[in-house]
Amino acid sequence: MRERFANGFDPFVIPFLIGMAFVLGYCIVAMIRVYFQLPKPDRKRFLVSLVTPRTAWKNIKDIFLNCLIHVKLWKRNKVLGYMHSSIAFGWFMIIVLGHLEVMLFVPERIHLFYYPIFFNYFVAETEQTLPGSLLMFLMDFFLLIILSGIVLAIIKRFASRIVGMRRTTRLSLMDRVGLYSLWAIFPLRLLAESFTAHISGGSFLTIPANWIFRQFLGNDLHALPTWWAYSIALCVFMCVLPFTRYMHIPAEMLLIPMRNAGIKIRHPRKGFALLEVYSCPACGVCIDACPMGVRKANCKDATVYLNRQLRRGNERRIAEISDKCLLCGKCSAVCQVGVEGPELRVAQRERRKYALTPDYGMIDAASLSQHLSDLPFCGPETAPVEGSVLYFAGCMTHLTPAIRRATTSLLDKAGLSWKMMDPDGGLCCGRPLMMAGRSETAQELIKKNVEIIRASGCNTLLLSCPICYKVFKEEYPLQGIRVVHHSVFFQELIAAGKLQVQHEDGLRLVWHDPCELGRGCGIYEQPRQALSAAADLVEAGRHHAESICCGGSLGSLSLGFEQRRPMTQNALKDLTVADPDQIVTGCPLCLATFSRYADRPVHDIAEILDGRS
Amino acid sequence: MIYQGKQKIWADYQKEIPDDHWFYVRSCIRQNFFPASEKYFLVICRDMLGRDIFETEHHTTCAGIAYHCDTIPQETAMTVVARQFALMTEAGYENFVTSCITSFGNYCEILETWREFPELEAKIREDLWKACRREFNKPKYIAHASDLVYKFRGEIAERAKYRLVARATGEPLRIVEHIGCHYAKMFPHKGVGGAEYPCVLSGMAEAWGGQVIDYPERRHCCGYGFRQYHIKANRGYSLSNTHKKFESMEPFHPDMIITNCPGCPYFLDRWQYVISEMTGKTYGQNGYGIPALTYEELAGLVLGIDPWDLGFQMHQVAIEPLLDKIGIPYDPARKYLGVDEKKIKTPGLPTTLKCC
Amino acid sequence: MVNRQPVISIIGAGIAGLEAARQLSALGYKPVLIEKAPVVGGHVAEWNRLFPDMSPSEDLTGPLRAQTAGVRTLLNTEVASINRLKDEYNLILSDGSSLLCQAVLFATGFHLFDASKKEEYGYGIYDRVITNRDLEAWFNHKDDRRIDHPKAVGFVHCVGSRDVKAGNAQCSKVCCITAIKEAIEIKEEFPDAEVYCFYMDLRLFGKKYEDFYIKAQRDYGIHFIRGRVSEVGEAVDGRVVVKAEDTLNGKPIKVTLDLLVLMAGIVCNPDAQHYAREIGVAVDDDGFLKSRNNVDAITESSRPGVFFAGSCTGAKTVPETLAEARSAALAIHQYLNKPR
Amino acid sequence: MDFGYQINPSSAVNLDQVDRRRYDALVRLSPDAATCMGCGSCSATCTSSAWSGMSVRKVLLGLQRGRDAEVNRMLSACMLCGKCTMVCPRGINTRQLILTLCRLDKNGEVVR
């Protein structure tokens, strides 16, 4: 290899250099800004994590696997996985290989930013070496990989169903500019390299292409303009990058270490929230995942659009999207970069100002505690013992008395000592307030409820409502008291032989994973095991973390009754793909919501178990 | 306001009032509040119009106040009333006229009760016999004294010295009529004009040249309400009722209020002082109040009887601006002279309400 | 099918009478319509639009009139008296003639309650107090000086209905929905007006009625106040001051209105009572004519040959009246063809 | 002068004078609020009512009758549990209604 130009420079690299300088400068400033927007303890925690070997290694691994290989996407959709990783990893490899070439052949030029990118323009092949040929081969190979990815991307853009997406994101103008420049980069590179392949050498892609072009293009006059075009495409892409979804490329590289450091959203618009917003690649996976998507009008309320509106600062739309969401968490579950859609929305809700502040001063927790202590236990014991159960039905269970009756009946059958915390209705657990963005207010209720729970003397708190369960488990200071959802509790009793459940052959049940229980608390298997003891279990079309929200969620503030109906009906359609006899769930709200439109019986898991024990 | 509509209703509620020969019973309280009213009723009917009105010193209260204050049962009131009827029967009269609206309501109520429950009437007859060896016939006609004045309104108008018009402009005076609740609200057909649009007072006012104004709270009680006033803890309630009426009539700028009940003119008159003391507000012109007159006082005025003989010095609200407006002469010096023409004490003056 | 052409007299040429005449003509009879008014169509012809489709009443009465044009119709004619003969009835008409008929159909309809009897509401006394009939007339002719760009309008439901003191303890059935219909129409005419409906119960039993109610609430912002108006007074500017108890709030309520519409109820036509007594047809204790029973023989009287259609037996909606008229026509047909 | 009694304010609600701005703003923001028919399901099921007398029905009525203090007291007691939304036969999103009301100042303006 020899250099074609003594000064190692040609003006066509200038656009590339401008783009590079701009994007680097922008990203560095942005990263520093995000860092300083973090609260102080978070900043410290982040720095510590960077130097902790375990997290540092995890950071590298996660960045490699997620940003380059897109493993999550592979798991979800092979075509999309290939498309994204081909472009990301291929490009990454081209850059790496370019540097290797420079280091191998013209090591003195390694300090020039543009050299590895435009290597083939600046060198002429003098002799074919094995490393050289190998590198050339790899360069062409990865270019081919990228081009295949680009072809898929183009197909996806115009016919998303072919690549397995029902809907794809509607791109903004800047996104389009970024997209087309990105699409343009690699064909241009192929052209540019092909035009100069008879000088610089090439491999299986560029050499034949060079031969073909030379058959009808008599001279090399078009080579330089093509390199110019390649450089300009790069420049355009890098210059628009901060204003497009491609900002996710640098943002995600900061997001991963920050998340690994355990940092959470503390401010609706700053710091980690900002980073999540910029990390959104606008891939649109969340659009299909969103249960609201059954109504076409709600497609624009998916997390991807929240992120876009947050970047634009469109307050009206931010409020609208934030309030509408059911907070089912499915967008988070499917998101490749882990943008926390629900948390982002709740953070926006928390920001809201109110003219009225809640005041629960009139609720006398002491007298409620006294009342509860005076309430006799059901079961063998008269006083609280190890294993005494305090059953909190919660607001919603009071609207579904079948759950309450089945749960208490099962407690009796298991021979436990129990009492009910809210036989005549109690305080709300506080979770609905939190969902509405009023966490501080919820603390007041939490304090009162803790006082009441402590007064009972029980060390197991049983919940039949996952909404309550999540908040009791995560937000309540209840050290020494086991907080358990009834589906888990009864599964354990069955496993321990304390509850005898008879299997009804031929009865086919489907389990609906309630959002708060499944994605919210990670409980998927225990209810299935318990139900398997009672009947045959079939699965819904989407289940476990992919389960579809019933549409009744308290998470949504603004969805009206009629707007929720198609969501419920869609969830029901998915639940009944295997034609189960009955639908079983573990949430009173899901139960009430499904019962409204279901064409077959809907039961709580406690009812099923109680009926067969 | 569609005047013909009212006339139509009045036509539906005309009651038969015999022209002559009445047995008259007085009110318990009017002689204290408006001492000349009953006297001039008799003077006008007997001396001026030549009617036979009989009264006896043996009659008592009708027990209406005690009944409405829940201090006696209705049977007691019935026996008292039966005695009044016995006096009428003994005097040879069949037409019974009462000075008091509550009495009128009480008599009507008792007669209606007896009509519905004849056994009760029999029992009362027996009780009356046991108590005072008296027997009675039920009156053939029962009327309130204002019914008679209403009936005689034309004759009075013919004899009138003054008309209820402003002397300066010739405009009719704007008159608020206030009917006692017990006049027709219980038995609309027993009142002239019914319960909703009674014309017993408005008929007089119009016959004598005035213009009646209808204001939204026209039907409302004066506020007396017996228990509401008599128990001091409830007295604010009584006052508030009256206040509501004044607030409602204020935009109509009435020149006077005429009433046919013992309590109403008293409360409509005296509460104006109390309201002025409490709120600083007066409802008449130039800091004066709105004079509240009984129908007898009004009849006396148009017939030219001296205002001080009619007892206007007993009113809280000064009558003088009204007299000036109509053009009735009066001698201010005579206002506080007693029957023997010696000066009686002059009352203290309110802080806000202008009184002379 | 019919041996001798029988005579069927229909008293009243409102929609019940017209529809029955139309059906009987179709069955081959020659009914006689007797109408005391100079025109046919009855109350419905005076109404502007009909709930729940807001169709012009002319859409109903126009075709009915046209299709009964061939029926012998005696306008400006009252029935002076009726005599019952063996199997026949002799009607003496106000023009002195008589009509011997084999069947009599009472389609005598209702009387609108005389709102001035509720003296406390001041109909006929206060300028701004009108009735539902006045309002419909205004919708038809837009000629009523009392309705002049009102800013606040009230509707009083149950005027002379469900009121023993007014002599009618029954529900007039159609006033709730009529009030809502008229309230919406007022809002359409005067979008800036505040409209209040004072009701005791909202009885919106019919098809689409509840939708009307929701529309009135949500789309027209009509205020519904549960409480009966106790009294109406006139303010110094001639507007009316309405007092009621807001029973859901447990407090008295007062509002000044530019227009108060009284939903006068439906009471029986006194003429019908008079005729019924003459021929020994029972009158119910609600004042309406008494059907043989109120389940499956609404159109039949206690006397053979005497039939009922429409609101002579109680308050009816238009579709009910039409259905009864058809049913009565069929009942008459069966009666006349019964072997005896 | 102290008479030992006073003019009591009228218990009657004068609709001519009631300030309905907050209610008007509410129905502008969520028109379904106007469809309340006063059935009382919300009050009967309310988690908070045992302590506060909270009732969405009364809130809506109170707003139209100028009972601001009572309305605010009730609204402050709401725990947003959503039971009222579950039972409302007219499908009114009562929870959103409450949150919307809490955001309105006494002039019916959204606080910022």
Side-chain angles (χ1 to χ4, degrees):
Chain A
M1 285 282 175
R2 66 168 174 83
E3 286 197 78
R4 287 170 67 197
F5 310 100
N7 59 358
F9 178 78
D10 190 280
F12 82 80
V13 304
I14 292 172
F16 165 78
L17 284 176
I18 291 170
M20 196 70 197
F22 174 73
V23 78
L24 275 181
Y26 190 97
C27 288
I28 288 165
V29 171
M31 281 180 183
I32 293 170
R33 203 164 140 241
V34 165
Y35 173 78
F36 280 102
Q37 281 174 350
L38 292 179
K40 234 186 179 143
D42 279 357
R43 268 185 259 165
K44 194 177 157 203
R45 182 187 284 199
F46 176 57
L47 291 180
V48 169
S49 84
L50 287 184
V51 294
T52 309
R54 199 171 51 82
T55 44
W57 167 241
K58 189 168 158 42
N59 290 343
I60 292 166
K61 196 182 78 179
D62 283 356
I63 289 173
F64 184 76
L65 289 178
N66 286 332
C67 301
L68 294 181
I69 310 293
H70 290 87
V71 275
K72 272 200 202 163
L73 197 52
W74 273 98
K75 282 183 199 156
R76 184 166 184 80
N77 181 327
K78 299 254 177 323
V79 182
L80 281 183
Y82 175 78
M83 181 189 114
H84 283 86
S85 57
S86 65
I87 299 173
F89 186 65
W91 199 359
F92 173 73
M93 285 312 290
I94 281 180
I95 296 166
V96 171
L97 293 169
H99 281 80
L100 280 178
E101 283 179 331
V102 175
M103 278 192 277
L104 192 66
F105 300 113
V106 280
E108 69 279 11
R109 298 292 191 194
I110 192 72
H111 65 277
L112 291 176
F113 253 158
Y114 56 84
Y115 233 73
I117 310 299
F118 305 113
F119 181 74
N120 282 13
Y121 180 79
F122 287 107
V123 295
E125 194 174 38
T126 46
E127 53 179 342
Q128 286 201 340
T129 59
L130 185 63
S133 298
L134 186 63
L135 280 174
M136 291 286 192
F137 170 78
L138 285 175
M139 281 299 237
D140 272 16
F141 173 73
F142 282 110
L143 190 59
L144 183 64
I145 296 285
I146 294 172
L147 287 170
S148 68
I150 297 282
V151 169
L152 279 177
I154 292 169
I155 293 172
K156 177 196 159 203
R157 183 63 18 212
F158 297 108
S160 60
R161 276 175 195 275
I162 295 174
V163 295
M165 280 179 83
R166 257 179 1 106
R167 298 197 191 85
T168 180
T169 323
R170 269 182 62 92
L171 294 183
S172 64
L173 181 68
M174 276 309 224
D175 280 343
R176 277 174 206 279
V177 174
L179 180 74
Y180 299 142
S181 58
L182 181 64
W183 285 354
I185 287 171
F186 300 98
L188 283 174
R189 181 183 170 105
L190 175 67
L191 277 180
E193 288 197 336
S194 301
F195 286 144
T196 49
H198 62 289
I199 304 167
S200 61
S203 189
F204 65 94
L205 209 57
T206 40
I207 296 286
N210 181 270
W211 182 82
I212 292 166
F213 290 138
R214 291 180 74 82
Q215 296 311 304
F216 54 90
L217 296 172
N219 52 43
D220 293 342
L221 288 178
H222 39 269
L224 187 61
T226 319
W227 282 101
W228 265 98
Y230 174 48
S231 173
I232 288 169
L234 280 169
C235 170
V236 170
F237 179 69
M238 286 189 286
C239 285
V240 297
L241 182 135
F243 316 107
T244 66
R245 55 188 185 143
Y246 301 105
M247 189 61 186
H248 82 89
I249 300 165
E252 200 184 349
M253 286 194 278
L254 183 61
L255 178 77
I256 287 171
M258 280 201 177
R259 187 192 301 126
N260 287 344
I263 289 166
K264 291 205 158 34
I265 296 173
R266 308 259 181 232
H267 188 283
R269 303 289 164 86
K270 289 180 180 170
F272 197 65
L274 188 68
L275 195 55
E276 284 202 356
V277 167
Y278 277 95
S279 298
C280 171
C283 64
V285 170
C286 50
I287 303 175
D288 275 350
C290 182
M292 293 196 296
V294 284
R295 288 181 78 236
K296 206 158 171 259
N298 289 129
C299 287
K300 56 185 197 313
D301 299 314
T303 304
V304 53
Y305 295 110
L306 173 69
N307 293 331
R308 179 180 294 174
Q309 300 302 346
L310 280 169
R311 286 176 70 166
R312 288 183 185 167
N314 181 344
E315 292 298 336
R316 189 188 62 81
R317 284 287 294 138
I318 294 171
E320 201 180 317
I321 298 175
S322 302
D323 284 2
K324 212 176 268 179
C325 174
L326 294 155
L327 303 185
C328 75
K330 193 163 168 189
C331 54
S332 293
V334 300
C335 182
Q336 304 313 302
V337 295
V339 174
E340 302 163 296
E343 284 78 359
L344 262 178
R345 285 176 172 92
V346 171
Q348 309 309 318
R349 295 177 187 180
E350 299 219 339
R351 187 174 188 243
R352 202 147 293 163
K353 284 204 176 60
Y354 288 94
L356 277 176
T357 351
D359 173 18
Y360 307 125
M362 70 286 172
I363 302 170
D364 179 11
S367 80
L368 287 172
S369 305
Q370 188 58 48
H371 187 73
L372 183 61
S373 325
D374 294 345
L375 200 71
F377 273 93
C378 301
E381 311 289 342
T382 52
V385 291
E386 183 70 29
S388 291
V389 175
L390 183 65
Y391 172 40
F392 180 70
C395 303
M396 285 299 162
T397 306
H398 281 288
L399 287 179
T400 49
I403 300 181
R404 173 178 161 177
R405 197 179 51 198
T407 305
T408 53
S409 160
L410 283 168
L411 289 172
D412 284 336
K413 285 177 184 167
L416 292 163
S417 286
W418 62 274
K419 67 163 74 171
M420 204 157 161
M421 183 168 150
D422 55 345
D424 309 311
L427 300 186
C428 178
C429 61
R431 176 99 178 116
L433 276 168
M434 291 178 151
M435 285 174 152
R438 311 198 84 174
S439 309
E440 276 175 42
T441 314
Q443 292 306 323
E444 241 188 281
L445 291 178
I446 290 176
K447 226 156 69 194
K448 288 182 196 285
N449 271 325
V450 167
E451 187 181 338
I452 298 166
I453 294 165
R454 293 271 179 216
S456 74
C458 299
N459 51 16
T460 300
L461 178 63
L462 180 68
L463 289 320
S464 51
C465 172
I467 307 167
C468 304
Y469 171 60
K470 186 172 165 70
V471 71
F472 276 111
K473 202 176 78 144
E474 292 176 358
E475 306 287 338
Y476 276 61
L478 288 174
Q479 289 74 21
I481 295 175
R482 185 186 178 210
V483 178
V484 60
H485 186 251
H486 72 332
S487 64
V488 177
F489 192 66
F490 292 137
Q491 189 271 325
E492 288 171 359
L493 289 176
I494 293 167
K498 288 185 183 156
L499 267 180
Q500 309 298 327
V501 179
Q502 285 188 338
H503 191 276
E504 185 176 335
D505 295 328
L507 177 69
R508 288 151 55 80
L509 304 178
V510 67
W511 168 252
H512 166 73
D513 289 287
C515 308
E516 297 280 284
L517 191 66
R519 286 184 289 269
C521 299
I523 290 172
Y524 295 110
E525 296 313 322
Q526 294 96 321
R528 285 182 168 78
Q529 287 162 13
L531 283 178
S532 301
D536 301 333
L537 203 62
V538 296
E539 283 295 1
R542 307 285 170 101
H543 49 85
H544 288 76
E546 301 262 318
S547 151
I548 303 173
C549 172
C550 69
S553 168
L554 285 174
S556 174
L557 303 180
S558 60
L559 273 182
F561 179 72
E562 280 304 316
Q563 296 167 317
R564 291 171 187 254
R565 180 166 59 177
M567 299 166 200
T568 310
Q569 286 167 334
N570 179 53
L572 278 169
K573 206 168 103 192
D574 183 74
L575 272 173
T576 51
V577 285
D579 195 23
D581 299 317
Q582 296 179 6
I583 297 164
V584 189
T585 184
C587 170
L589 193 47
C590 297
L591 179 73
T593 309
F594 281 142
S595 300
R596 231 173 261 144
Y597 309 114
D599 60 350
R600 58 202 82 201
V602 185
H603 291 298
D604 187 78
I605 184 167
E607 290 177 80
I608 297 290
L609 299 178
D610 187 43
R612 282 157 195 80
S613 61
Chain B
M1 187 73 63
I2 306 159
Y3 191 71
Q4 292 79 0
K6 279 194 176 176
Q7 283 178 314
K8 190 171 153 285
I9 286 186
W10 292 336
D12 291 345
Y13 289 103
Q14 283 303 325
K15 73 180 207 184
E16 202 181 333
I17 308 166
D19 192 59
D20 206 352
H21 308 299
W22 290 91
F23 181 85
Y24 183 55
V25 286
R26 294 197 182 221
S27 150
C28 303
I29 58 175
R30 293 186 83 203
Q31 293 160 82
N32 301 315
F33 298 163
F34 307 99
S37 289
E38 289 179 340
K39 176 187 167 182
Y40 277 96
F41 172 72
L42 294 173
V43 168
I44 291 166
C45 290
R46 284 175 177 163
D47 305 344
M48 295 184 167
L49 305 175
R51 300 307 202 278
D52 165 29
I53 312 281
F54 179 85
E55 76 165 331
T56 166
E57 70 274 27
H58 295 297
H59 88 74
T60 62
T61 174
C62 73
I65 291 189
Y67 169 53
H68 286 293
C69 288
D70 277 352
T71 51
I72 59 163
Q74 198 189 14
E75 283 80 354
T76 311
M78 282 178 175
T79 316
V80 173
V81 163
R83 185 179 168 277
Q84 314 277 70
F85 290 159
L87 292 175
M88 175 195 76
T89 309
E90 286 161 18
Y93 283 85
E94 290 180 318
N95 306 328
F96 195 90
V97 60
T98 76
S99 164
C100 169
I101 284 287
T102 295
S103 293
F104 177 70
N106 197 32
Y107 291 122
C108 290
E109 187 181 346
I110 287 169
L111 288 170
E112 283 296 307
T113 312
W114 288 348
R115 196 171 60 77
E116 295 265 348
F117 305 99
E119 70 281 4
L120 196 57
E121 183 188 336
K123 182 179 174 289
I124 299 298
R125 284 182 184 278
E126 199 185 320
D127 288 350
L128 182 69
W129 179 253
K130 279 184 196 160
C132 51
R133 294 288 183 271
R134 284 183 197 269
E135 283 176 306
F136 69 93
N137 294 331
K138 286 190 280 185
K140 212 164 168 182
Y141 293 99
I142 188 151
H144 182 254
S146 60
D147 293 342
L148 262 65
V149 177
Y150 170 78
K151 190 175 173 68
F152 304 149
R153 66 191 189 284
E155 289 177 56
I156 293 171
E158 283 167 18
R159 290 171 168 76
K161 221 171 144 187
Y162 305 103
R163 284 181 59 75
L164 300 177
V165 292
R167 189 180 51 174
T169 62
E171 292 281 312
L173 296 185
R174 302 172 65 77
I175 299 172
V176 158
E177 39 102 35
H178 177 84
I179 308 287
C181 292
H182 293 161
Y183 176 68
K185 281 180 184 164
M186 287 189 282
F187 305 105
H189 283 276
K190 304 248 185 251
V192 178
E196 290 293 333
Y197 309 96
C199 68
V200 60
L201 293 180
S202 58
M204 292 179 208
E206 283 170 4
W208 300 338
Q211 180 201 351
V212 173
I213 55 173
D214 192 345
Y215 62 106
E217 298 291 358
R218 172 176 51 77
R219 302 167 176 99
H220 211 71
C221 171
C222 69
Y224 175 25
F226 298 89
R227 279 161 288 186
Q228 279 67 34
Y229 176 76
H230 288 304
I231 297 162
K232 194 175 173 186
N234 294 340
R235 207 163 284 171
Y237 182 79
S238 173
L239 175 65
S240 307
N241 273 287
T242 316
H243 178 248
K244 189 175 185 175
K245 282 186 78 77
F246 279 112
E247 288 293 315
S248 175
M249 72 173 78
E250 186 192 10
F252 295 84
H253 306 298
D255 293 308
M256 68 169 113
I257 303 166
I258 58 169
T259 64
N260 67 347
C261 176
C264 308
Y266 185 73
F267 288 95
L268 292 172
D269 181 58
R270 304 300 201 269
W271 281 145
Q272 288 194 61
Y273 153 70
V274 175
I275 292 167
S276 73
E277 291 295 323
M278 284 181 177
T279 67
K281 188 163 180 182
T282 54
Y283 292 94
Q285 282 178 329
N286 308 323
Y288 286 96
I290 307 169
L293 281 67
T294 69
Y295 57 95
E296 296 105 324
E297 287 171 344
L298 186 67
L301 271 188
V302 298
L303 286 167
I305 297 164
D306 185 86
W308 308 136
D309 289 346
L310 285 168
F312 284 112
Q313 58 273 62
M314 296 294 282
H315 286 228
Q316 177 67 62
V317 174
I319 192 77
E320 287 88 338
L322 178 66
L323 300 178
D324 293 341
K325 196 162 185 179
I326 306 174
I328 299 175
Y330 58 94
D331 179 3
R334 279 196 69 228
K335 186 169 184 181
Y336 295 111
L337 293 186
V339 278
D340 51 0
E341 297 292 316
K342 274 192 198 151
K343 188 147 177 112
I344 52 171
K345 265 179 138 179
T346 311
L349 287 178
T351 40
T352 312
L353 187 68
K354 223 156 128 189
C355 282
C356 52
Chain C
M1 159 177 103
V2 183
N3 305 334
R4 176 174 66 96
Q5 185 65 277
V7 179
I8 306 162
S9 56
I10 301 174
I11 311 176
I15 55 163
L18 290 176
E19 176 66 18
R22 189 166 78 99
Q23 298 293 341
L24 286 167
S25 303
L27 288 168
Y29 297 97
K30 297 249 177 287
V32 182
L33 276 165
I34 305 162
E35 172 58 54
K36 69 177 170 188
V39 288
V40 298
H43 292 283
V44 174
E46 295 173 8
W47 242 238
N48 179 29
R49 285 194 283 174
L50 302 178
F51 56 81
D53 297 341
M54 292 299 224
S55 49
S57 70
E58 181 58 25
D59 286 4
L60 170 68
T61 53
L64 259 184
R65 249 197 326 264
Q67 288 164 29
T68 52
V71 174
R72 188 179 160 209
T73 308
L74 309 171
L75 293 173
N76 295 309
T77 307
E78 280 189 68
V79 176
S81 68
I82 310 182
N83 299 317
R84 181 155 54 90
L85 313 170
K86 185 182 180 297
D87 291 342
E88 286 180 330
Y89 294 90
N90 189 27
L91 276 64
I92 316 289
L93 304 178
S94 55
D95 59 6
S97 65
S98 72
L99 190 65
L100 193 67
C101 53
Q102 282 69 49
V104 181
L105 176 64
F106 279 79
T108 45
F110 64 91
H111 259 208
L112 213 56
F113 177 78
D114 175 9
S116 66
K117 282 188 184 163
K118 291 295 288 179
E119 290 167 18
E120 62 269 38
Y121 296 162
Y123 179 63
I125 304 264
Y126 301 129
D127 291 310
R128 312 289 189 92
V129 180
I130 67 169
T131 63
N132 39 1
R133 175 184 273 155
D134 300 337
L135 185 58
E136 289 291 339
W138 182 77
F139 287 140
N140 275 326
H141 310 298
K142 295 283 158 68
D143 175 29
D144 192 330
R145 58 173 183 82
R146 296 173 293 186
I147 304 171
D148 180 23
H149 296 90
K151 287 269 169 286
V153 182
F155 285 84
V156 186
H157 294 220
C158 302
V159 175
S161 309
R162 303 179 72 199
D163 182 351
V164 286
K165 296 284 174 63
N168 183 19
Q170 304 305 312
C171 169
S172 295
K173 203 173 182 178
V174 295
C175 326
C176 281
I177 179 68
T178 306
I180 290 175
K181 180 198 80 120
E182 291 179 353
I184 287 175
E185 289 175 302
I186 281 280
K187 266 297 225 195
E188 284 171 346
E189 290 281 347
F190 309 110
D192 297 336
E194 293 285 354
V195 178
Y196 302 91
C197 280
F198 294 91
Y199 69 95
M200 300 200 287
D201 285 310
L202 281 175
R203 300 188 159 184
L204 299 164
F205 53 89
K207 188 174 170 68
K208 295 274 177 201
Y209 292 9
E210 193 72 8
D211 295 349
F212 244 71
Y213 176 28
I214 296 173
K215 203 162 84 174
Q217 288 179 305
R218 186 179 44 208
D219 304 341
Y220 292 92
I222 291 160
H223 304 282
F224 288 87
I225 297 172
R226 188 184 178 281
R228 196 182 163 86
V229 167
S230 63
E231 61 179 54
V232 178
E234 199 175 60
V236 70
D237 57 2
R239 302 169 79 204
V240 285
V241 180
V242 172
K243 292 208 260 181
E245 189 198 346
D246 178 8
T247 58
L248 295 178
N249 194 27
K251 292 252 187 300
I253 203 163
K254 200 168 97 173
V255 62
T256 311
L257 303 173
D258 297 312
L259 185 68
L260 185 69
V261 186
L262 305 179
M263 301 309 295
I266 285 175
V267 293
C268 189
N269 186 342
D271 292 347
Q273 296 172 331
H274 169 69
Y275 305 148
R277 288 197 185 99
E278 276 190 323
I279 51 173
V281 164
V283 175
D284 222 338
D285 49 16
D286 59 8
F288 288 95
L289 304 184
K290 190 170 183 173
S291 297
R292 195 160 60 74
N293 73 53
N294 292 315
V295 180
D296 66 347
I298 289 275
T299 58
E300 291 165 39
S301 76
S302 47
R303 289 276 169 205
V306 178
F307 298 87
F308 303 141
S311 52
C312 60
T313 53
K316 300 274 156 64
T317 63
V318 168
E320 284 168 347
T321 301
L322 295 174
E324 275 186 18
R326 289 164 200 148
S327 161
L330 204 56
I332 291 170
H333 173 67
Q334 283 162 355
Y335 167 77
L336 293 174
N337 286 282
K338 200 162 64 181
R340 55 190 96 185
Chain D
M1 191 189 296
D2 182 24
F3 290 88
Y5 49 89
Q6 59 199 0
I7 300 169
N8 306 327
S10 172
S11 64
V13 174
N14 188 345
L15 285 182
D16 304 339
Q17 286 157 14
V18 166
D19 177 3
R20 268 197 300 240
R21 281 179 297 175
R22 247 195 327 167
Y23 178 77
D24 292 342
L26 174 70
V27 292
R28 211 169 38 244
L29 293 167
S30 39
D32 280 353
T35 65
C36 173
M37 52 180 168
C39 73
S41 302
C42 48
S43 333
T45 199
C46 180
T47 300
S48 171
S49 72
W51 295 282
S52 61
M54 167 62 179
S55 153
V56 181
R57 172 186 84 75
K58 283 190 193 163
V59 164
L60 284 171
L61 193 64
L63 282 172
Q64 298 173 71
R65 303 287 185 267
R67 304 176 74 162
D68 276 10
E70 196 188 342
V71 164
N72 291 349
R73 194 179 50 70
M74 287 194 282
L75 286 174
S76 317
C78 173
M79 307 181 193
L80 293 180
C81 74
K83 277 175 90 182
C84 47
T85 311
M86 292 289 287
V87 298
C88 178
R90 279 275 163 92
I92 302 172
N93 190 346
T94 48
R95 212 160 148 259
Q96 184 195 25
L97 182 157
I98 291 164
L99 279 167
T100 307
L101 277 176
C102 287
R103 295 183 64 200
L104 298 176
D105 63 16
K106 63 182 191 328
N107 304 324
E109 303 284 339
V110 175
V111 290
R112 306 241 175 240

